[in-house]
Each structure stands twice: as C-alpha cells, then as structure tokens.
C-alpha cells in the first residue's frame, strides 16, 4: 500500500513537472519563433552578470547568446531556465582547426562541467564556432580555419558525450550572401566563400545543425543598397519589390529569401535557419535613434508573431531569432561605424531605451534594479583657460574613450565647440573611474557636479563595477584614519 502511494506521488510529481515546463515553453510560442538576445560584454564597465541575468528573467527572456564561455556569465545563468549559446572567438579558430586536443581541452574546461547534474547545471544548446568569421572586412583571414575548427569541436563534444545536447553552429554575417540585382531569386553566397560554404553546409547537414545567420537591414540601408527607410522599418510601402510575382514589402524578408536561394542553389534548401543577430541601433549615425529602433523591433517581432513566414517559406518562420543586442557596449569595434556601440534595447546600465514586447508579456520592459553608479560628477572643459590645445586633447581622449555619440547623426552631434570637447573629456574621465588625474588634460579639465547633458545628449556617469573592492579599501582606509585620529588625540 505504502509503495503504491509512493508510486502515485512520484507519477503525480512527474506529470506536474512536465506540464509546468510545457506551459513555460508555451509562453514563448511553440510553433513560432523563440526570441533570444545577444549578451555582449565589450564594455569598459559591464553590468554585473547577476544583474544581467535578473534583467533577462524580469523580461521573460529564455534564450541568450554569449560571445565566449566566460565563467562568471555562465555561472550567473546556472540554475536559471535560460538556454545559452556560447561562442568561440575568432582568434581561437586557427588553433582549433589544427588541433583536436585544443578543441577537446576547450570543451572540457569550458563546457563539460556545466552538464553535470546539480544546481550549477546550465542548458547550453549551441556552440558558435567563431564570431562572424566570414565578415568581408576580415578579408578572409579566418575562412580557411572555420570548417576544420567546427569539425574538431564537434568531435570533442561527441567524445565528451554531450553532442546529443549541444549543436555546433557557425555565425554567418549578413554580407556573406547577396543578390546584385536586389532580387532574392538571384541570391548566392559571396564567391570567395563558395568552397568553404559547400563544406560547411555538408558538415551542418550531417549533424542536423541549423544555419545561423545575421540579417541586418540597418547595414544594408547604410550601404545604400537600394533600400528605403520605410522598407527597412517594416512600414507599409506602396512600392513592394516584385520578384517573379513574389511581393516583398520589407528588407528582412528580402534578405531571408536571398539566403534561402543561396542555400537552395547549393543543394541545402531545407536547412533550418536561426537568426543570430538582428536589431537596430539608436545612436552614432543618421537613422539610428530610439524611435526608429522601436519601429523596427515592433515590425520585426510582429512579423514573426504573425507566423506568416516569407514569400519563399510561407508559414514557416525561423525557429529562433537573437536580438542584437541586450545592452550598449562602449568598447565594441567601430570600424563599421559609431552605431556599433549602440545596438542595445537597454542602455549600458540596463535601462530600456524604448518599449517593445520582447516575450509576449506585458509589452512593458523591466529595467535593471539597484544599479550602482559612481558619484554625480562630470569632467568638462574649463572655459577660463586658453583653449587652443583643447581639440587635440579631445581627440586623444576619444581615441581611448567612447565618443560615438558625437558622430554625424549622433545624439551629441549638435553640441557646438567647446561643448563637444567637454563631452570627450567626460567620457574619458568616467571610463577612468573618475580618477582626478583623468580630468587633467594639461590643466584644461574641470570637475563639476552640474550635469552638462543637453536634450538627448547625455553626459554619462559610469557604473561602479569595482564597488566591493573600493568599499573595502575605502572603509579600511577610514578605519586607519579614525585610529590615527584617536591616537593623535
Ligand atoms: C567584442 O566585440 C567584437 C566585435 O567588435 C566581437 O567580435 C567579440 O565577440 C566581442 N566580445 C565579447 C566578449 O562580447
Ligand atoms: C587546418 O587543419 C588541417 C588539419 O590539421 C591542416 O591540414 C590544414 O592545413 C589547416 N588549415 C590551415 C589553413 O592551416
Ligand atoms: C576555455 O578553455 C581554454 C583552454 O582550452 C582556455 O584557454 C580559456 O581561457 C577558457 N575560457 C574561456 C572563457 O574561453
Ligand atoms: C532598385 O529598386 C528598384 C525598384 O524597387 C528596381 O527596379 C531596381 O532594379 C533596383 N536596383 C538595384 C541595383 O537593386
Ligand atoms: C558555388 O558556385 C557554383 C557555381 O557558380 C554554384 O552552383 C554553387 O551553388 C556555389 N555553392 C555555394 C555553396 O555557394
Ligand atoms: C528619430 O529620427 C527621425 C527622423 O530623422 C525623427 O523624425 C525623430 O524625431 C527622431 N526621434 C527621436 C526620438 O530623436
Ligand atoms: C513576464 O511573464 C509574466 C507571467 O506571464 C507576466 O506577468 C509579466 O508581465 C511578463 N513580463 C514582461 C516584462 O513581459
Ligand atoms: C599646446 O601644446 C603644445 C605642444 O604640446 C605646447 O608646446 C603649447 O605650450 C601648448 N599651448 C598651450 C596654450 O597650452
Ligand atoms: C541637430 O540639428 C539638426 C539641424 O538643426 C536637426 O535637424 C537635428 O534633428 C538635430 N539633431 C539632434 C539629435 O538634436
Ligand atoms: C568639435 O566641434 C568642432 C566644430 O564645432 C569640430 O571642429 C571638432 O572636430 C569637434 N571635436 C570633436 C572631438 O568632436
């Protein structure tokens, strides 16, 4: 009798667990596209991983892509129900191509331990080999290593008995496929990638892995590839592009079907596609502001949720899409443009820039809570000094700090001289944790407690990322001073 009762409890518990996880999956849509976010950490003062994970949870985000296997980020995710994609940086590809042992060691050190049972378990769904290694600006330097590295990583996963849980993917940049005529039916992979793509697609198909691609209507608009703003932003357009009676009303569908044609003509037309990066920046360029980003995101998410698919794959939207990006990153490379530091749905400190329904929830984003900032102090140029050298100092500051908002079209572009010099000084000062010598600039700098922000141009105060340490140091310093004072008395 007791045994039967125990058995019944066991069954009831199992049913309860499986139905609760079902409803959790249902929240993000089973047949539709699951929405994830890219969590990049190229910031001088990154939001602490625990705060980022709280932010993800508060916004019901269930998938996240990391660009490496940073233990602090992975540990913060452990025990959450958020599934992760972890990345292998490009600089490791050469080694991983030539050495199975290196790939095996990476898998062992950075993955295997999260698969043991217990509270530290993390659901790692994908390993992304390289970070857009085919990007045209890399000039092919990583291309020869990609398939070899992916093959060795796959073998290492198999050896570690986790290949049934983790799939190997390769992030493919938006510029790896194209159509000169602008018509999707003429889509193809970039000719320099032809041989590599054939090998990669064969590899992915053999392991039943999806094709991971970035789609970037913003880059295409910037590069003037015959795109209009309304076409890029999912706004109703009275001039749809007509491709053999297939009508294209937005840039996303056009890119997606260009990729589909490229896959089909290579013989892999049925491969699943995952969108690895898609978004709209909010600063640092013309057409980059938060109201346009909101329009784009609403249009994109609405399109996915309509489940209409694209003209070449109707009613079959991509399985997953990762938004670029969760947060702004002030140390991302700006080789492609100053906007690269402003992809976040949230600012660097986890505050929503606009409202968007990320997870079919309330439609109202939750901000990061209890964020610690440095003091309300700014560094500006001292107008009472001879400013003939100020611009040279500002340029030097900008070569290290983040002045992307001063670019044409940026939120601070309209600052007149010497306001823009102050912006540069302050950016450098905040990046250097407000240390007094970082507001010197040959005597031209001045610390102020009056916020110099004007309109949409915000003079930032950075995060207090080393809070714990400096608190301990300063409080022990206080203690010493106190003791000295007592002694002196
Ligand atoms: C930092 O940014 C570069 C591109 O600017 C990217 O390739 C890299 O993966 C990023 N790293 C992290 C940890 O986010
Ligand atoms: C990649 O690794 C293979 C196997 O070790 C090697 O034969 C090949 O030359 C490597 N490719 C490059 C471009 O170094
Ligand atoms: C992962 O493993 C390699 C050893 O193969 C190590 O060099 C690296 O620092 C580890 N950590 C990360 C974040 O990749
Ligand atoms: C540009 O778009 C127009 C109309 O949408 C089309 O007729 C033309 O062929 C396109 N040109 C290029 C180079 O894509
Ligand atoms: C490589 O080029 C050939 C000939 O142009 C083409 O048929 C094939 O689809 C291309 N393969 C890939 C993977 O792009
Ligand atoms: C964004 O840019 C558009 C077009 O330049 C402009 O109409 C709009 O007012 C801007 N929005 C914000 C919030 O700056
Ligand atoms: C997250 O999901 C919960 C439960 O469904 C819901 O009440 C809440 O509004 C959602 N939050 C957001 C930001 O969507
Ligand atoms: C400007 O910089 C130059 C070279 O660093 C220096 O010789 C000159 O004295 C500076 N002028 C002023 C007004 O500070
Ligand atoms: C900057 O000034 C130009 C011209 O006066 C104006 O069109 C633009 O909206 C302004 N930009 C911002 C960000 O205020
Ligand atoms: C500041 O603005 C002046 C013109 O008003 C310009 O010549 C200078 O390059 C700008 N400096 C920076 C750092 O943006």
């Amino acid at each position: 009798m007791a045994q039967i009762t125990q058995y019944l409890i066991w069954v009831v518990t199992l049913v309860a667990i499986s139905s609760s996880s079902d409803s959790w999956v249902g929240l993000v849509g089973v047949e539709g596209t699951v929405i994830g976010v890219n969590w990049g950490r190229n910031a001088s003062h990154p939001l602490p991983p625990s705060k980022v994970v709280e932010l993800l949870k508060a916004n019901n985000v269930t998938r996240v892509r990391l660009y490496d296997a940073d233990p602090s980020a992975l540990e913060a995710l452990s025990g959450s129900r958020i599934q992760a994609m972890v990345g292998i940086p490009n600089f490791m590809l050469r080694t991983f191509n030539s050495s199975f042992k290196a790939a095996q060691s990476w898998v062992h050190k950075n993955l295997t331990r999260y698969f043991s049972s217990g509270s530290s378990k993390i659901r790692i769904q994908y390993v992304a080999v390289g970070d857009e290694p085919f990007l045209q600006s890399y000039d092919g330097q990583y291309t020869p290593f990609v398939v070899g590295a992916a093959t060795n990583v796959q073998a290492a996963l198999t050896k570690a008995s986790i290949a049934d849980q983790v799939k190997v993917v390769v992030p493919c940049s938006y510029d790896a496929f194209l159509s000169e005529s602008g018509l999707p039916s003429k889509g193809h992979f970039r000719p320099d990638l032809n041989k590599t793509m054939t090998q990669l697609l064969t590899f992915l198909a053999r392991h039943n892995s999806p094709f991971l691609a970035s789609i970037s209507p913003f880059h295409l608009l910037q590069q003037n590839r015959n795109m209009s703003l309304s076409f890029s932003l999912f706004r109703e357009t009275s001039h749809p592009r007509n491709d053999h009676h297939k009508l294209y009303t937005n840039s996303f569908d056009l890119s997606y079907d260009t990729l589909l044609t490229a896959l089909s003509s290579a013989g892999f037309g049925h491969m699943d596609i995952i969108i690895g990066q898609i978004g709209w920046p909010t600063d640092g360029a013309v057409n980059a502001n938060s109201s346009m980003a909101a329009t784009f995101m609403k249009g994109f998410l609405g399109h996915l949720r309509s489940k209409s698919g694209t003209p070449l794959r109707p009613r079959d939207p991509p399985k997953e899409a990762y938004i670029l990006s969760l947060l702004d990153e002030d140390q991302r490379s700006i080789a492609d443009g100053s906007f690269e530091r402003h992809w976040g749905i949230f600012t660097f400190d986890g505050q929503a820039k606009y409202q968007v329904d990320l997870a079919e929830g309330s439609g109202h984003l939750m901000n990061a809570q209890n964020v610690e900032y440095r003091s309300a102090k700014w560094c500006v140029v001292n107008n009472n000094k001879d400013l003939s050298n100020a611009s040279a100092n500002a340029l030097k500051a900008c070569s290290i700090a983040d002045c992307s908002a001063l670019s044409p079209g940026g939120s601070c572009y309209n600052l007149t001289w010497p306001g823009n010099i102050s912006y540069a000084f302050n950016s450098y000062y905040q990046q250097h944790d407000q240390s007094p010598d970082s507001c010197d600039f040959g005597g031209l700098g001045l610390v102020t407690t009056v916020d110099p922000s004007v309109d949409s141009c915000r003079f930032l105060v950075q995060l207090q990322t080393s809070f714990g340490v400096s608190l301990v140091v300063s409080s022990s310093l206080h203690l010493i001073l106190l003791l000295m004072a007592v002694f002196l008395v």
Side-chain angles (χ1 to χ4, degrees):
M1 189 61 201
Q3 259 176 349
I4 292 176
T5 314
Q6 208 168 26
Y7 174 72
L8 277 179
I9 290 174
W10 186 69
V11 167
V12 167
T13 313
L14 263 187
V15 168
I17 289 171
S18 63
S19 67
S20 73
S21 70
D22 270 350
S23 66
W24 173 72
V25 171
L27 202 67
V28 291
V30 180
E31 317 88 351
T33 309
V34 182
I35 306 296
V37 296
N38 284 276
W39 173 10
R41 296 177 307 102
N42 272 323
S44 63
H45 294 70
L47 197 61
S50 58
K51 289 256 181 283
V52 174
V53 173
E54 278 171 26
L55 184 65
L56 294 172
K57 285 184 187 162
N59 289 292
N60 299 329
V61 174
T62 58
R63 302 283 160 99
V64 71
R65 173 177 170 196
L66 302 166
Y67 290 89
D68 55 17
D70 178 68
S72 65
L74 285 171
E75 266 145 35
L77 284 168
S78 70
S80 76
R81 312 185 83 166
I82 301 167
Q83 304 194 35
M85 179 188 302
V86 299
I88 294 173
N90 287 332
F91 75 86
M92 292 184 178
L93 296 179
R94 175 191 282 268
T95 313
F96 285 18
N97 169 68
S98 54
S99 163
F100 166 69
K101 281 249 172 317
Q104 193 180 21
S105 152
W106 185 89
V107 166
H108 180 73
K109 285 199 186 112
N110 301 312
L111 284 194
T112 313
R113 61 193 168 115
Y114 300 114
F115 283 84
S116 55
S117 52
S119 60
S120 70
K121 193 168 167 153
I122 306 175
R123 305 179 182 205
I124 296 172
Q125 221 183 346
Y126 301 105
V127 172
V129 175
D131 179 21
E132 306 203 323
F134 304 135
L135 212 54
Q136 198 155 21
S137 54
Y138 292 143
D139 224 357
Q141 60 174 310
Y142 303 115
T143 305
F145 310 119
V146 172
V147 179
T151 305
N152 280 334
V153 171
Q154 179 72 51
L157 294 174
T158 304
K159 197 106 187 257
S161 309
I162 53 178
D164 54 335
Q165 296 165 70
V166 190
K167 289 203 177 297
V168 172
V169 289
V170 172
C172 184
S173 47
Y174 74 94
D175 60 5
F177 51 92
L178 69 157
S179 161
E180 281 83 4
S181 65
L183 297 178
S185 60
K186 299 285 190 300
H188 60 88
F189 287 107
R190 226 171 53 218
D192 61 292
L193 297 172
N194 188 292
K195 195 166 141 255
T196 301
M197 272 301 167
T198 306
Q199 292 168 349
L200 175 60
L201 293 169
T202 307
F203 165 84
L204 294 172
R206 184 182 312 135
H207 297 287
N208 205 15
S209 295
F211 192 82
L212 186 72
S214 301
I215 289 191
S216 190
F218 184 80
H219 278 102
L220 297 186
L221 178 70
Q222 287 289 107
Q223 295 165 4
N224 230 334
R225 290 207 201 148
N226 211 12
M227 300 288 177
S228 75
L229 185 60
S230 26
F231 194 70
S232 307
L233 292 179
F234 294 89
R235 281 186 186 139
E236 289 296 338
T237 160
S238 47
H239 303 290
R241 228 48 82 104
N242 186 336
D243 186 4
H244 298 93
H245 304 296
K246 289 191 165 33
L247 294 183
Y248 287 88
T249 56
N250 64 77
S251 173
F252 169 78
D253 282 357
L254 199 81
S255 287
Y256 193 83
D257 281 4
T258 301
L259 172 61
L260 277 177
T261 309
L263 289 170
S264 296
S265 49
F268 296 89
H270 296 291
M271 191 164 270
D272 277 341
I273 295 177
I274 291 180
I275 312 293
Q277 293 188 342
I278 186 161
W280 198 274
T282 58
D283 205 342
V286 174
N287 293 328
N289 70 26
S290 43
S291 67
M292 288 192 208
T295 305
F296 177 81
M297 294 300 300
K298 277 199 187 94
F300 176 61
L301 295 175
H303 184 41
L304 292 183
R305 285 179 185 137
S306 76
K307 297 179 186 154
S308 58
T310 61
L312 284 184
R313 260 191 199 176
R315 287 173 300 284
D316 186 15
K319 301 283 171 279
E320 296 172 47
Y322 291 80
I323 304 299
L324 181 71
S325 181
L326 182 65
L327 303 161
D328 280 354
E329 297 163 73
D330 64 355
Q331 289 190 331
R332 261 179 84 97
S333 158
I334 49 172
D336 283 348
S338 292
F339 59 85
E340 290 287 349
R341 291 181 176 163
H342 301 278
W343 289 105
I345 301 173
F346 294 88
T347 48
F348 70 103
D349 52 348
Q351 312 302 304
K353 296 177 185 173
Y354 51 87
Q355 290 304 329
V356 62
D357 202 0
L358 207 49
E360 291 190 85
S362 59
H364 193 82
L365 293 175
M366 303 293 286
N367 291 335
Q369 300 298 309
N370 305 317
V371 178
E372 310 271 4
Y373 297 90
R374 298 244 158 225
S375 339
K377 288 196 294 189
W378 295 265
C379 176
V380 294
V381 71
N382 187 342
N383 284 315
N384 297 324
K385 294 276 171 80
D386 173 357
L387 298 185
S388 51
N389 273 353
S391 288
N393 276 295
L395 276 182
K396 226 159 93 188
C398 288
S399 70
I400 294 159
D402 174 31
C403 298
S404 53
L406 292 175
S407 303
S411 58
C412 300
Y413 182 54
N414 283 359
L415 283 186
T416 51
W417 191 91
N420 62 351
I421 306 298
S422 288
Y423 186 89
F425 283 10
N426 182 62
S427 179
Y428 186 89
Y429 176 64
Q430 304 298 342
Q431 216 172 74
H432 290 79
D433 295 330
Q434 301 183 343
S435 80
D437 58 340
S438 66
C439 186
D440 184 28
F441 301 107
L444 299 181
L446 179 73
V447 172
T448 172
T449 53
V450 180
D451 187 348
S453 301
V454 264
D455 301 332
S456 62
C457 175
R458 287 190 58 214
F459 281 58
L460 302 179
V461 170
Q462 267 297 353
L463 300 180
Q464 179 103 5
T465 45
S466 47
F467 185 72
V469 179
S470 64
L471 186 74
V472 169
V473 171
S474 71
S475 58
S476 47
L477 207 73
H478 280 151
L479 195 68
I480 291 168
L481 289 174
L482 198 76
L483 286 175
M484 280 169 66
V486 168
F487 265 105
L488 288 174
V489 167

